[in-house]
Amino acid sequence: MKMVNLNKTNQFIFWTFIILLVLITNQYFSLEQVFLNGGRDGKDYFSISNYAPEFSKDLPAHKSWRFFYPFLLGIVSKIFNFDIFLVYQLTAILIIINFIYLLNKRVFINNNFFENFIFISCILFNPYFFRYFISLPLLINDLIFIYGTLYLILFLKKERLCYLIIGLIIMCFARQESIFFIISMIICKIIFRKSSMFSNKHFYVSLFITTLIFSLNIYYSINSSLSDFGSFSDGGRFALFNFNYSLVEFLIFILYLFFPFLLITVIIFFNHKKFFENLAFKFKEEKIIFILVLSILIITPAIIAGPEISGKNILRLSSLTIIFFTYLTYLFVGKLKLSWSFNLVFFLIVFIFLQHPTYSKSKLFEIFLN
């Protein structure tokens, strides 16, 4: 199948069209609608922004710990006299635009633009990414955490310390799962010993950044939160092992876990021979092991919380690793084997994802339901 390539000007026009297409067809909720349509966590983040520069009050401890970005957006809104919710919306859009630029220019670097677009689509059209964060901008911490993982990929590609520092700072202020970076690094240093790509300098710099930022996060949390973690107590965190769910509920939970990776699955299915050949060949590479270990550790807390606590939230939480798993697929597949059948299946799923019944203006699902 003949490949299509575009010069820089045409690429700019293409991505501008894609961004405008999503923005024009997206649902834009009011603040109250955000809380009703999947953004309940955002209520606490909005409270942090509203109280800034003072401490917020009576927040769940694990939410107040993630104070930095809501706090910063609250400060910006007050300095420029902008509506807080509008600041969240504009920030989400700007981050996603920069996301697309970095993915296209720095991460997926094939000689063919169409192949790059295929891999970027796995992230961009994930139903819990572009549309989701535009409709629910108060969940900014999740978006920024994913943005931080992009810089970790750049670090693994370029092995430049600056990318590690940028990525880790971004992630540490966003979510507690950033601690798994150091754990994954230690595991790799134990496995690969002196041949490890991670030097003692990498470890000490990472430890310093994590300790400093976590201390700031804890300080804010102590001064603004409730004393308990509610459903996120020890029992809630390991609710999977309470077995307070049926087999059907568990199977649905597992389907939710893998649903954000459906486009990746299509790529693997149509390129399975090359994928599994490279899997056996490249699996010994340290960066592969590191990405895989880190991804599993990030997802694990949501899995062990089980259907009772994580529930449908597993869709959003598993999406935190979408860049990692897409990049692994890119490494294992390499040059794509494209065909009319692949294009049909892949872009049909993209089209369906773009018709999200909650976050898009499309009435397609309503027509089928009626």
Side-chain angles (χ1 to χ4, degrees), residues 148-156 164 167-168 171 181 294 324:
T149 65
L150 190 154
Y151 280 93
L152 293 190
I153 293 296
L154 292 177
F155 163 69
L156 295 173
L164 184 152
L168 196 54
M171 292 170 64
F181 176 85
L294 180 54
F324 286 146

Side-chain angles (χ1 to χ4, degrees), residues 103-323:
L103 288 171
N104 188 50
K105 294 295 184 182
R106 304 287 179 84
V107 177
F108 303 113
I109 308 176
N110 287 313
N111 292 325
N112 185 270
F113 174 77
F114 184 71
E115 289 191 23
N116 290 350
F117 175 63
I118 293 291
F119 285 107
I120 294 171
S121 295
C122 294
I123 300 165
L124 195 62
F125 300 120
N126 170 5
Y128 287 85
F129 187 74
F130 198 160
R131 282 210 187 282
Y132 185 78
F133 289 117
I134 299 300
S135 291
L136 307 176
L138 294 184
L139 300 180
I140 197 76
N141 279 52
D142 289 3
L143 175 60
I144 294 177
F145 182 87
I146 299 171
Y147 184 67
T149 65
L150 190 154
Y151 280 93
L152 293 190
I153 293 296
L154 292 177
F155 163 69
L156 295 173
K157 285 173 66 72
K158 307 291 186 181
E159 295 190 22
R160 292 174 58 185
L161 183 62
C162 63
Y163 287 131
L164 184 152
I165 291 173
I166 293 170
L168 196 54
I169 289 174
I170 291 171
M171 292 170 64
C172 283
F173 275 123
R175 291 187 65 92
Q176 292 90 327
E177 289 89 343
S178 51
I179 189 64
F180 294 132
F181 176 85
I182 290 182
I183 296 174
S184 301
M185 183 191 296
I186 292 172
I187 291 172
C188 284
K189 285 179 70 66
I190 291 172
I191 294 173
F192 293 92
R193 299 179 182 275
K194 291 183 179 180
S195 63
S196 174
M197 66 178 289
F198 296 106
S199 65
N200 289 336
K201 183 178 181 180
H202 290 140
F203 174 74
Y204 290 125
V205 168
S206 300
L207 185 63
F208 174 76
I209 290 172
T210 304
T211 302
L212 178 62
I213 295 177
F214 275 32
S215 297
L216 292 172
N217 295 345
I218 291 170
Y219 175 74
Y220 186 92
S221 179
I222 290 172
N223 286 277
S224 62
S225 65
L226 301 166
S227 59
D228 64 274
F229 282 76
S231 64
F232 284 87
S233 62
D234 291 340
R237 289 187 182 276
F238 297 94
L240 179 71
F241 305 108
N242 294 335
F243 301 104
N244 293 328
Y245 48 84
S246 66
L247 177 60
V248 172
E249 289 173 330
F250 177 74
L251 292 176
I252 292 174
F253 180 70
I254 296 300
L255 287 175
Y256 283 156
L257 172 65
F258 289 104
F259 184 72
F261 309 111
L262 184 57
L263 289 173
I264 295 175
T265 304
V266 172
I267 291 178
I268 294 172
F269 178 81
F270 281 92
N271 297 267
H272 62 276
K273 185 176 180 180
K274 188 185 297 185
F275 177 86
F276 288 110
E277 285 177 354
N278 286 332
L279 180 64
F281 179 72
K282 294 185 176 183
F283 196 72
K284 295 180 181 179
E285 293 183 14
E286 185 177 12
K287 65 180 178 180
I288 302 292
I289 300 296
F290 175 78
I291 294 172
L292 189 60
V293 170
L294 180 54
S295 300
I296 291 172
L297 288 176
I298 289 172
I299 292 178
T300 296
I303 295 174
I304 62 177
E308 184 182 5
I309 301 301
S310 291
K312 201 173 181 180
N313 254 347
I314 194 71
L315 287 161
R316 173 175 61 90
L317 297 173
S318 62
S319 293
L320 295 175
T321 60
I322 188 65
I323 290 184

Side-chain angles (χ1 to χ4, degrees), residues 64-77:
S64 61
W65 190 95
R66 306 166 191 164
F67 83 98
F68 181 75
Y69 298 113
F71 187 89
L72 184 63
L73 295 181
I75 295 293
V76 169
S77 71

Side-chain angles (χ1 to χ4, degrees), residues 49-64:
S49 300
N50 202 33
Y51 274 96
E54 305 294 331
F55 290 107
S56 187
K57 300 180 185 299
D58 300 329
L59 297 177
H62 65 290
K63 303 281 184 58
S64 61

